[in-house]
Amino acid sequence: GQGTRLGYNGPKGMYDIGLPSKSTLFQYMSERIKKLGELSGKGAKAVPFYIMTSPLNHDATVEYFTSNNNFDIDVHFFPQGTLPAMTTDGKMILETSTKLAVAPDGNGGIYPALVKRGILADMKSKGIKYIHAFGVDNALVKPADPTFVGYCITNEADCGNKVLWKT
């Protein structure tokens, strides 16, 4: 998503959250994923990072990772879909007099995008059995948290949800 709510004009993941390292959210998460791969003994690129972008920030996100050598991890980008933009009273918004305005289809758009963009097929071809999905603006997330994912696997859970209530 866009960092507008954070007062940042660009993808949320490129936002500097004020860490002493000056790391962006994307860099911080990439470093965690890289370390997890190294700790697994299979190397820094052992855990792939799939990033769903919006049509508004796809190019900027890909360029950011490219300019940072993908932070030395295996990264894949896929844009989410769009839906007609609506007013709060349910009326469609026009971009021009002949064109309907559209907006990213939100977090739920991940499911059709995984199929439409070939990501699910890529995951299957790599033998990936488990996925950890999270929002880029969650600076507390532990991507592919081995304890949490392991707990879900051990308990044969179809899915798991870890929550920290806002205060």
Side-chain angles (χ1 to χ4, degrees):
Q2 286 296 100
T4 312
R5 190 171 35 100
L6 301 170
Y8 177 70
N9 186 25
K12 274 189 270 187
M14 291 169 49
Y15 182 67
D16 175 350
I17 60 171
L19 296 173
S21 66
K22 300 291 183 198
S23 296
T24 64
L25 289 163
F26 279 144
Q27 181 179 355
Y28 184 63
M29 291 172 186
S30 296
E31 288 170 354
R32 285 183 156 206
I33 289 168
K34 181 178 179 180
K35 186 65 173 179
L36 187 59
E38 290 168 348
L39 289 171
S40 76
K42 296 183 179 181
K45 296 185 179 192
V47 179
F49 192 11
Y50 294 89
I51 300 174
M52 184 173 77
T53 62
S54 84
L56 303 171
N57 65 29
H58 180 81
D59 292 341
T61 302
V62 172
E63 288 171 19
Y64 175 73
F65 271 83
T66 300
S67 70
N68 286 284
N69 194 32
N70 289 339
F71 297 103
D72 297 319
I73 62 171
D74 181 19
V75 185
H76 305 266
F77 306 93
F78 62 105
Q80 68 192 107
T82 58
L83 292 171
M86 310 283 278
T87 64
T88 54
D89 57 345
K91 295 180 182 174
M92 290 190 229
I93 300 171
L94 293 176
E95 186 174 317
T96 67
S97 62
T98 59
K99 184 178 178 188
L100 191 61
V102 295
D105 60 5
N107 291 338
I110 191 170
Y111 303 108
L114 285 169
V115 175
K116 184 178 180 181
R117 305 296 181 178
I119 299 300
L120 192 58
D122 181 68
M123 290 176 177
K124 285 181 180 180
S125 75
K126 292 179 177 175
I128 294 173
K129 295 180 183 179
Y130 308 101
I131 301 169
H132 180 206
F134 56 88
V136 69
D137 52 355
N138 181 356
L140 299 177
V141 72
K142 291 181 179 178
D145 179 356
T147 303
F148 179 66
V149 173
Y151 178 82
C152 292
I153 293 167
T154 299
N155 288 284
E156 299 179 8
D158 291 331
C159 65
N161 187 27
K162 185 166 40 169
V163 177
L164 176 64
W165 293 107
K166 288 184 180 181
T167 56

